[in-house]
């Protein structure tokens, strides 16, 4: 059954009753009656179609080896043990909602998708990812819980509201009643506004500047001797601005590689220009430079090239350094816990401490569990958990440099969450990316946006309609949280791919998530913008690998396979 479309969900909500795979239309008389041939034929022998040890007369689904009398009940929408109920062990608090589908806290019967939300208590009763923090519905959260609304009981009072003069109410939450003494539409600067003279209605930001009268009409800090308003007077009027028509040109301005003298020092495009690229010495002339011999300049200096990935710059036969994947070990299973689906990870930079690991159980939810070490993860001894500001989708989250990156539920947006402070740091919308089971991996689970880390940094893997549902790779700058490069690959459609991961700037895809053995059948090298077919054998040990991710710090591949924490050892050359 496709985990993102659990047909048994409605049954779970109504009390975890009969399962979808046992509900059939009443057969018609023509379907159930067999004509008496009078030949005395005997019934055909019983068979065990799925080879699980139970024949079709007792096996309620003889095509699925996971379903038979006595089987372990999983949270998957199936009646695994053939007792007429599905997922009956997974509604721990008895509120009618199973944890694997919709209940974000299965230990509290007052928390589920249809619960009534209580404001300001810090609890997400209705599992929508947020607490009710805007009682008056004006779009602004209450100030006393960290928002900007100074009166959350009055929808007419909030930042940006029109200030009503002398009504005794701080309508716009700026800290006073109508702080605009000259009624020019701009509040007094001493009261937090922008008006540098609140006694003169002709003086305020945007006012017409009168040249050379000694008055700063537009509150930019000077009388009009500075036509481009960059803070530097024109050289034609005794100042130092060599181009008073361009605010980006003045003494002290940052130089760019554009053929213009921005800082008025007489030098155009110096090596210190902010956008000057890095060039690498190519001593052997093979087109690849020495990563340890570089300089910045707007134009390439003689003997320097843009690619600094030469393993031996004294031998032209040795080109760029690479770490091409050649094989992957059989998996090692460490512990079985939690749901069939999930994700676990470590920070390759170990910013918050050595050995820390994190888990996110399920393919949607809002909780992250932390472990002080890998051994503690195996022993199930956690140091605590985090409550995320938005619920997550899929199993493609990563931790990088102390931040958790994940796909916000039901959106094409990535979230950057500071694990050190427990606060939201930023969001990033991925252009045209499919989300919430538009372009998922084979197994579904809202796995549309898959984050990855490797030796080259942070990536996001997804698919778009423009690329006909095939894989797209984008590199991310973690500091600015922006996309720095995008590659549209010629892979199979993402919905036919089991999983994917990055190593050394190369995306590798696993053909199947459940079938074993299978192969790593496709690779896309972002440095060469070219694909290949590695054909590397791969084993899915437990038949449901919902997450695969590479950890460059120890050169290990992590996987979550039917609730097992599994590792693989890759070999590269």
């Amino acid at each position: 059954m496709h985990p993102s479309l659990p047909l048994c969900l409605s049954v779970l909500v109504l009390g975890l009753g009969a399962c979808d795979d046992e509900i059939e239309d009443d057969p018609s008389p023509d379907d159930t009656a067999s004509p008496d041939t009078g030949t005395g034929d005997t019934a055909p022998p019983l068979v065990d179609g799925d080879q699980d040890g139970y024949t079709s007369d007792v096996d309620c689904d003889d095509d699925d080896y996971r379903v038979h009398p006595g089987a372990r009940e999983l949270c998957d929408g199936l009646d695994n043990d053939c007792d007429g109920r599905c997922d009956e062990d997974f509604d721990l608090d008895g509120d009618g909602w199973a944890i694997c589908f919709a209940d974000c806290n299965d230990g509290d019967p007052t928390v589920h998708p249809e619960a009534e939300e209580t404001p300001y208590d810090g609890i997400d009763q209705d599992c929508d990812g947020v607490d009710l923090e805007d009682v008056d519905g004006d779009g602004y959260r209450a100030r006393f819980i960290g928002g900007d609304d100074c009166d959350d009981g009055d929808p007419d009072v909030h930042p940006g509201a029109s200030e009503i003069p002398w009504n005794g109410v701080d309508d716009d939450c700026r800290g006073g009643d109508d702080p605009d003494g000259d009624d020019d539409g701009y509040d007094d600067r001493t009261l937090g506004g922008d008006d540098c003279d609140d006694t003169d209605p002709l003086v305020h930001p945007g006012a017409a500047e009168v040249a050379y009268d000694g008055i700063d009409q537009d509150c930019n800090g000077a009388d009009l001797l500075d036509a481009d308003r960059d803070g530097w007077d024109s050289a034609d009027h005794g100042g130092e601005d060599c181009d008073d028509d361009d605010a980006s040109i003045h003494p002290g301005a940052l130089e760019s590689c554009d053929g213009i003298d921005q800082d008025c020092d007489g030098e155009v495009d110096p090596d210190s220009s902010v956008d000057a690229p890095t060039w690498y010495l190519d001593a052997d002339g093979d087109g690849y430079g020495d990563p340890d011999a570089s300089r910045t300049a707007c134009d390439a200096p003689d003997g320097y090239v843009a690619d600094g990935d030469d393993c031996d710059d004294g031998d032209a036969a040795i080109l760029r350094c690479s770490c091409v994947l050649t094989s992957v070990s059989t998996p090692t299973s460490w512990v079985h816990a939690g749901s069939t689906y999930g994700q676990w990870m470590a920070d390759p930079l170990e910013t918050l401490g050595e050995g820390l690991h994190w888990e996110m159980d399920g393919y949607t939810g809002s909780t992250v569990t932390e472990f002080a070490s890998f051994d503690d993860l195996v022993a199930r001894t956690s140091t605590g958990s985090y409550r995320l500001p938005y619920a997550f989708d899929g199993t493609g989250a990563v931790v990088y440099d102390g931040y958790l990156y994940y796909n916000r539920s039901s959106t094409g947006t990535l979230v950057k969450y500071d694990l050190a402070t427990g606060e939201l740091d930023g969001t990033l919308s991925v252009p045209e990316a499919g989300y919430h089971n538009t372009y998922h991996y084979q197994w579904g689970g809202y796995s549309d946006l898959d984050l990855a880390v490797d030796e080259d940094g942070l990536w996001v893997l997804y698919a778009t309609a423009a690329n006909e549902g095939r894989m797209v790779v984008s590199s991310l700058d973690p500091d600015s949280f922006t996309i720095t490069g995008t590659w549209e690959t010629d892979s199979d459609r993402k919905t036919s791919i089991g999983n994917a991961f990055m190593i050394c700037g190369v995306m590798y895809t696993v053909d199947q998530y459940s079938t074993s053995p299978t192969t790593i059948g496709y690779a896309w090298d972002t440095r060469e913008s070219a694909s290949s077919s590695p054909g590397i054998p791969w084993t899915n040990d437990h038949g449901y690998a919902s997450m695969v991710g590479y950890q460059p710090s120890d050169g290990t591949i992590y996987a979550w396979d039917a609730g097992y924490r599994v590792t693989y050892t890759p070999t590269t050359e």
Side-chain angles (χ1 to χ4, degrees):
M1 178 181 295
H2 196 297
S4 63
L5 300 171
L7 300 178
C8 193
L9 180 57
S10 61
V11 179
L12 287 167
V13 173
L14 296 173
L16 303 171
C19 297
D20 64 280
D21 56 354
E22 296 176 352
I23 300 173
E24 301 179 355
D25 295 333
D26 290 336
S28 66
D30 289 342
D31 292 333
T32 57
S34 300
D36 184 1
T37 62
T39 60
D41 292 340
T42 60
L46 295 174
V47 295
D48 182 6
D50 53 13
Q51 298 297 306
D52 60 3
Y54 292 84
T55 54
S56 57
D57 59 330
V58 296
D59 194 334
C60 55
D61 187 346
D62 204 31
D63 293 323
D64 191 333
Y65 69 92
R66 297 171 298 177
V67 177
H68 58 74
R72 178 188 173 196
E73 190 66 41
L74 303 175
C75 197
D76 57 4
L78 300 176
D79 177 15
N80 302 90
D81 56 6
C82 294
D83 67 350
R85 299 174 297 160
C86 59
D87 303 341
E88 61 268 23
D89 299 333
F90 296 91
D91 179 20
L92 304 182
D93 56 13
D95 59 7
W97 293 82
I99 188 171
C100 54
F101 291 112
D103 197 335
C104 54
N105 185 348
D106 207 34
D108 187 341
T110 67
V111 176
H112 56 75
E114 290 186 346
E116 182 177 351
E117 188 69 50
T118 302
Y120 312 137
D121 64 351
I123 300 175
D124 177 19
Q125 279 92 357
D126 60 4
C127 294
D128 66 350
V130 294
D131 183 27
L132 181 60
E133 299 176 345
D134 177 18
V135 172
D136 59 13
D138 59 7
Y140 291 82
R141 299 169 62 245
R143 180 175 288 174
F144 69 86
I145 59 167
D148 301 317
D149 196 337
C150 53
D151 185 349
D152 202 33
D154 187 340
D156 295 325
V157 176
H158 57 76
S162 298
E163 186 69 47
I164 301 174
W166 324 121
N167 66 346
V169 177
D170 180 15
D171 304 278
D172 59 5
C173 294
R174 295 178 60 179
D177 177 21
D178 195 26
D180 179 13
D182 55 13
D183 290 326
D184 59 4
Y186 293 85
D187 295 341
D188 191 339
R189 182 175 291 177
T190 63
L191 298 175
D194 302 314
D195 197 335
C196 55
D197 186 348
D198 206 35
T199 64
D200 188 342
L202 299 180
V203 176
H204 56 76
E209 185 71 54
V210 179
Y212 315 125
D213 65 348
I215 299 174
D216 178 20
Q217 278 92 356
D218 59 3
C219 295
N220 74 337
D223 185 24
L224 184 60
L225 298 173
D226 176 15
D228 59 11
R229 301 178 185 273
D230 60 4
W232 296 85
D233 293 341
S234 170
D236 295 337
H237 293 89
E240 302 174 80
D241 195 337
C242 56
D243 186 346
D244 205 33
D245 293 323
D246 189 330
S248 68
I249 299 176
H250 56 76
L254 297 176
E255 283 279 3
S256 300
C257 296
D258 55 7
I260 299 173
D261 178 17
Q262 274 95 357
D263 61 3
C264 297
D265 67 351
E267 183 180 3
V268 176
D269 294 351
D271 290 352
S272 59
S273 296
V274 293
D275 57 350
T278 301
W279 306 93
Y280 302 90
L281 178 64
D282 181 16
D284 57 14
D286 60 5
Y288 296 92
D290 183 348
D292 297 322
S294 66
R295 57 175 292 189
T296 59
C298 287
D299 298 313
D302 290 342
Y304 283 74
V305 295
D307 193 322
D309 198 18
D310 197 334
C311 289
D312 186 347
D313 202 36
D315 187 344
I318 301 177
L319 302 178
R320 60 184 286 270
C321 303
S322 64
C323 47
V324 177
L325 183 66
T326 58
S327 66
V328 175
S329 71
T330 56
T332 299
S333 298
W334 296 97
V335 66
H336 182 270
S339 304
T340 301
Y341 334 98
Q343 50 205 315
W344 63 299
M345 64 218 75
D347 185 349
L349 304 184
E350 297 190 321
T351 303
L352 301 180
E354 183 178 353
L356 286 172
H357 282 70
W358 293 267
E359 284 185 357
M360 297 163 71
D361 194 6
Y363 59 84
T364 186
S366 55
T367 301
V368 181
T369 303
E370 183 178 270
F371 299 89
S373 66
F374 175 76
D375 290 341
D376 283 349
L377 182 147
V378 173
R380 313 311 298 156
T381 304
S382 74
T383 58
S385 62
Y386 300 82
R387 186 74 170 179
L388 298 176
Y390 304 111
F392 63 84
D393 263 359
T395 55
V398 297
V399 174
Y400 189 78
D401 198 19
Y403 294 89
L404 173 72
Y405 296 85
Y406 68 92
N407 177 202
R408 180 178 176 179
S409 178
S410 301
T411 71
T413 299
L414 302 179
V415 176
K416 180 180 181 182
Y417 176 75
D418 191 337
L419 290 167
T421 64
E423 296 180 353
L424 175 70
D425 189 82
T427 60
L428 171 63
S429 178
V430 182
E432 301 182 14
Y435 60 88
H436 205 63
N437 273 3
T438 302
Y439 295 119
H440 51 77
Y441 288 128
Q442 283 174 359
W443 66 277
Y446 309 148
S447 55
D448 302 62
L449 281 84
D450 186 10
L451 288 143
V453 293
D454 68 358
E455 293 80 359
D456 288 356
L458 183 63
W459 307 84
V460 59
L461 315 178
Y462 56 100
T464 64
N467 201 34
E468 298 179 347
R470 295 186 293 264
M471 297 293 292
V472 177
V473 181
S474 289
S475 56
L476 303 177
D477 182 338
D479 295 326
S480 63
F481 201 22
T482 57
I483 294 175
T484 57
T486 295
W487 295 261
E488 292 186 344
T489 79
D490 59 358
S491 73
D492 291 338
R493 288 177 61 87
K494 188 171 185 286
T495 52
S496 68
I497 293 171
N499 276 293
F501 57 92
M502 298 290 297
I503 295 180
C504 291
V506 179
M507 179 189 71
Y508 295 93
T509 68
V510 182
D511 292 342
Q512 301 289 328
Y513 77 96
S514 58
T515 304
S516 192
T518 184
T519 60
I520 298 174
Y522 179 85
W524 176 269
D525 190 332
T526 60
R527 301 186 187 186
E528 305 293 340
S529 292
S531 62
S532 60
S533 302
I536 299 171
W538 178 275
T539 302
N540 294 309
D541 228 13
H542 303 285
Y544 212 114
S546 60
M547 164 261 174
V548 175
Y550 176 60
Q551 290 295 329
S553 57
D554 59 8
T556 301
I557 297 174
Y558 288 4
W560 186 300
D561 189 349
Y564 287 89
R565 312 307 182 267
V566 178
T567 59
Y568 300 78
T569 301
T571 300
T572 59
E573 64 179 24

